[in-house]
């Protein structure tokens, strides 16, 4: 997570230096009109063509030509149009991130269940680490999140996935557009401490260049499970006390320094020590990746079936689990139909349009338009579960067998609520 943040700020710094020039360059209504037309052509020939509705795009083009919508207004309106399709792989991505992140809040939230706690903060706000978000301005957390979702770069497919919008860097521009900024330019947050103290904090947004470092929330007892740390694509953590091997699978990409084959060989090596009776694949932070990785993993799942069949098998999912990570789930369920899923509904729906998106550069909008090239029909095991549980609702993800959420208090004690639940389930 820390390395991801450093990379993000490095990119933002580069983008900011470019943006001063880009934002001064005037774009004509005709140029914006042409970019919208290109999006429409892509939609007409994408895998979403049967769902494509040209009407909102035509209205936007008319407003552009009438001088009612500039570049930023176009961006937000297109984003809102695209969100109606509820397709994770359909998005308008700014090539100049500083358009949205010229200023941002000086901390990050982490979602524990349905509560948001400050997880990273600049030194100025470090005393609020761990405090729970209660309100933004006069809005409840749910209402504020709903407003911000209209201006999110991501297109969420499930309601569960939408919860994690507040885990992303929070753009001041988005807060302002959503009506969550006060007249004095500050953002009012109502926060609650672990002792129940309620405090209103007027936060000033900062330019990324002014954010030199973040301080991370530290539990009272160090959490060996590397909470939300996605710096490694996959890792193995063992607990002899709970007779469990935990495999954190954080990204569907291969690590050249630690191959997929070596990873599985290490898993088998640990299992064969005779210390364990449970194997857990933790996908709660996995947003997807590349299909080539899944082909390799599927081969390993099949090749090691005789060994894996000796153990209790579990998968953990959350609203952050999406895209290629759901392919992994399908492969696992096909090879091991008795596996139990813990956690919460996935962020991507079972019936979805996926695969690596095609992109088209839009000059006037200074964005890339990404759209899916196929309807994902390669997950029959998940379809089967969906028919049994979610029926015909295309905007529902794969649901867990045992629903359980992360708990802030457990985290502060150095424990993982979901891991504890898995242990209790298999040892009751």
């Amino acid at each position: 997570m820390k390395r991801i943040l450093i990379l993000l700020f490095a990119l933002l710094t580069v983008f900011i230096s470019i943006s001063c020039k880009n934002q001064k360059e005037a774009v004509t209504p005709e140029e914006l009109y042409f970019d919208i037309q290109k999006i429409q052509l892509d939609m007409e020939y994408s895998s979403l063509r049967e769902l494509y509705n040209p009407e909102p795009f035509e209205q936007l083009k008319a407003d552009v030509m009438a001088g009612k919508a500039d570049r930023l207004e176009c961006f937000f309106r297109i984003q809102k149009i695209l969100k109606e399709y509820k397709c994770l792989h359909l998005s308008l991505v700014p090539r100049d991130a500083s358009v949205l992140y010229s200023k941002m809040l000086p901390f990050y939230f982490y979602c524990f269940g349905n509560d948001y706690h400050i997880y990273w903060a600049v030194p100025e706000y470090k005393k609020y680490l761990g405090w729970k978000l209660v309100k933004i301005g006069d809005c409840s957390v749910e209402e504020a999140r709903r407003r911000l979702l209209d201006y999110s770069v991501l297109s969420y497919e499930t309601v569960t996935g939408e919860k994690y919008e507040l885990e992303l860097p929070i753009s001041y521009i988005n807060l302002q557009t959503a009506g969550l900024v006060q007249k004095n330019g500050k953002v009012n947050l109502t926060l609650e401490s672990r002792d129940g103290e309620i405090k209103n904090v007027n936060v000033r947004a900062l330019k990324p260049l002014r954010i030199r470092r973040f301080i991370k929330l530290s539990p009272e007892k160090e959490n060996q499970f590397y909470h939300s740390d996605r710096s490694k694509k996959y890792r193995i953590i063992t607990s002899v006390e709970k007779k469990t091997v935990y495999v954190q699978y954080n990204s569907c990409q291969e690590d050249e320094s630690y191959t997929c084959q070596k990873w599985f060989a290490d898993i088998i090596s640990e299992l064969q020590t005779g210390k364990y009776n449970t194997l857990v694949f933790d996908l709660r932070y996995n947003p997807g990746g590349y299909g080539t990785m899944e082909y390799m993993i599927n081969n390993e799942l099949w090749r090691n079936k005789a060994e894996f069949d000796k153990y209790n098998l579990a998968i953990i999912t959350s609203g952050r689990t999406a895209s290629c990570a759901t392919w992994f789930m399908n492969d696992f369920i096909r090879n091991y139909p008795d596996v139990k899923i813990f956690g919460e509904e996935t962020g991507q729906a079972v019936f979805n349009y996926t695969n690596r998106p095609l992109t088209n550069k839009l000059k006037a909008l200074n964005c890339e338009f990404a759209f899916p090239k196929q309807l994902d029909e390669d997950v029959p095991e998940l379809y089967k579960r969906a028919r049994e549980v979610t029926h015909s609702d295309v905007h529902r993800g794969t649901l867990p067998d045992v629903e359980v959420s992360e708990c802030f208090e457990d985290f502060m004690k150095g424990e993982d609520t979901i891991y504890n639940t898995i242990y209790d389930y298999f040892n009751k």
Side-chain angles (χ1 to χ4, degrees):
M1 182 72 171
K2 186 174 182 180
R3 289 165 66 183
I4 291 172
L5 288 173
I6 292 172
L7 177 60
L8 172 65
F9 289 122
L11 289 173
L12 290 179
T13 301
V14 174
F15 287 142
I16 285 171
S17 65
I18 297 172
S19 69
C20 295
K21 176 182 176 183
N22 287 343
Q23 291 184 25
K24 290 177 183 177
E25 291 178 354
V27 295
T28 66
E30 289 78 11
E31 289 171 324
L32 289 172
Y33 184 102
F34 180 67
D35 274 1
I36 299 168
Q37 190 93 352
K38 285 175 70 176
I39 292 174
Q40 289 183 273
L41 288 172
D42 287 339
M43 291 292 290
E44 287 177 2
Y45 290 97
S46 76
S47 57
L48 290 161
R49 55 188 173 274
E50 292 183 2
L51 304 176
Y52 168 60
N53 175 17
E55 185 176 340
F57 291 103
E58 293 298 330
Q59 181 60 56
L60 177 56
K61 287 194 296 187
D63 290 345
V64 165
M65 296 307 293
K68 298 179 181 178
D70 60 11
R71 175 193 281 175
L72 193 58
E73 172 71 12
C74 274
F75 173 81
F76 283 135
R77 283 183 58 179
I78 292 169
Q79 285 290 74
K80 201 165 183 177
I81 292 169
L82 297 180
K83 280 177 175 52
E84 293 299 316
Y85 293 88
K86 289 188 175 292
C87 178
L88 182 74
H89 293 86
L90 179 71
S91 60
L92 191 62
V93 183
R95 298 178 67 195
D96 176 4
S98 69
V99 172
L100 295 180
Y101 292 98
S102 56
K103 288 195 294 185
M104 55 193 294
L105 290 193
F107 39 69
Y108 286 68
F109 294 106
Y110 186 87
C111 182
F112 292 89
N114 291 304
D115 295 331
Y116 301 89
H117 293 259
I118 296 178
Y119 190 72
W120 296 80
V122 298
E124 181 181 349
Y125 292 97
K126 67 179 182 180
K127 66 181 179 182
Y128 296 112
L129 284 170
W131 287 47
K132 183 174 76 172
L133 178 65
V134 178
K135 294 172 70 176
I136 300 181
D138 294 328
C139 294
S140 66
V141 174
E142 291 73 19
E143 171 62 17
R145 186 181 66 207
R146 186 195 66 74
R147 292 194 193 184
L148 288 169
L149 283 168
D150 285 340
Y151 307 104
S152 168
V153 173
L154 299 176
S155 294
Y156 294 98
E157 293 191 7
T158 68
V159 173
T160 306
E162 292 176 352
K163 289 197 322 182
Y164 296 98
E165 170 66 17
L166 291 183
E167 281 193 348
L168 300 174
I170 301 181
S171 160
Y172 182 79
I173 296 293
N174 286 11
L175 287 164
Q176 205 168 38
T177 310
L180 297 171
V181 175
Q182 301 176 111
K183 290 182 180 179
N184 62 7
K186 293 184 177 181
V187 182
N188 180 262
L189 302 178
T190 304
L191 302 173
E192 181 180 354
S193 72
R194 293 179 68 189
D195 298 328
E197 178 186 356
I198 301 293
K199 189 167 183 179
N200 286 314
V201 182
N202 286 315
V203 177
R204 57 189 180 90
L206 300 177
K207 294 181 179 180
L209 283 172
R210 295 190 58 193
I211 301 177
R212 301 301 181 188
R213 68 188 182 100
F214 271 103
I215 299 173
K216 185 178 75 170
L217 175 67
S218 296
E220 297 155 2
K221 178 183 176 184
E222 188 57 38
N223 192 316
Q224 63 168 317
F225 303 117
Y226 303 100
H227 189 79
S228 78
D229 178 5
R230 294 182 61 248
S231 61
K232 290 187 178 297
K233 298 176 177 61
Y234 35 83
R235 62 161 61 88
I236 300 169
I237 301 169
T238 59
S239 173
V240 176
E241 178 188 358
K242 294 191 174 181
K243 300 180 179 180
T244 303
V245 174
Y246 301 105
V247 180
Q248 291 187 336
Y249 186 20
N250 295 327
S251 180
C252 298
Q253 300 178 60
E254 187 167 21
D255 184 341
E256 293 182 0
S257 64
Y258 187 35
T259 66
C260 173
Q261 290 76 13
K262 182 65 169 66
W263 174 36
F264 270 80
D266 287 347
I267 295 171
I268 295 297
S269 179
E270 284 290 348
L271 292 174
Q272 290 180 340
T273 62
K275 301 174 183 177
Y276 312 101
N277 60 23
T278 301
L279 174 61
V280 178
F281 279 82
D282 190 343
L283 275 69
R284 80 183 90 172
Y285 312 120
N286 195 323
Y290 298 106
T292 50
M293 179 67 173
E294 288 322 297
Y295 298 143
M296 290 188 289
I297 284 187
N298 189 35
N299 182 56
E300 294 298 319
L301 291 174
W302 177 82
R303 193 165 66 84
N304 293 293
K305 181 170 172 56
E307 182 65 26
F308 282 5
D309 273 336
K310 300 174 184 177
Y311 304 92
N312 303 317
L313 297 174
I315 291 176
I316 302 176
T317 65
S318 74
R320 312 177 194 90
T321 307
S323 194
C324 204
T326 62
W327 291 8
F328 170 85
M329 291 177 63
N330 184 75
D331 291 340
F332 206 104
I333 294 170
R334 183 176 64 242
N335 283 284
Y336 307 96
D338 293 330
V339 63
K340 296 299 179 184
I341 301 175
F342 294 78
E344 62 183 12
E345 179 184 25
T346 56
Q348 187 169 16
V350 172
F351 303 94
N352 55 64
Y353 295 81
T354 186
N355 208 294
R356 186 174 182 177
L358 301 170
T359 59
N360 201 338
K361 293 182 180 179
L362 306 171
K363 185 177 180 181
L365 286 166
N366 200 21
C367 293
E368 288 190 357
F369 178 54
F371 54 97
K373 63 183 179 183
Q374 73 177 41
L375 169 63
D376 187 358
E377 297 177 329
D378 266 345
V379 287
E381 296 303 326
L382 299 190
Y383 285 173
K384 180 181 177 181
R385 287 179 62 95
R387 284 194 296 270
E388 295 171 351
V389 181
T390 64
H391 307 295
S392 61
D393 187 349
V394 297
H395 299 308
R396 290 301 300 269
T398 302
L399 299 177
D401 299 299
V402 180
E403 188 171 3
V404 56
S405 299
E406 295 174 68
C407 171
F408 175 71
E409 290 302 327
D410 282 352
F411 167 71
M412 291 302 293
K413 291 185 291 187
E415 298 178 3
D416 188 307
T417 308
I418 301 177
Y419 287 169
N420 289 343
T421 301
I422 293 172
Y423 176 77
D424 291 342
Y425 180 88
F426 288 119
N427 292 278
K428 58 187 177 182

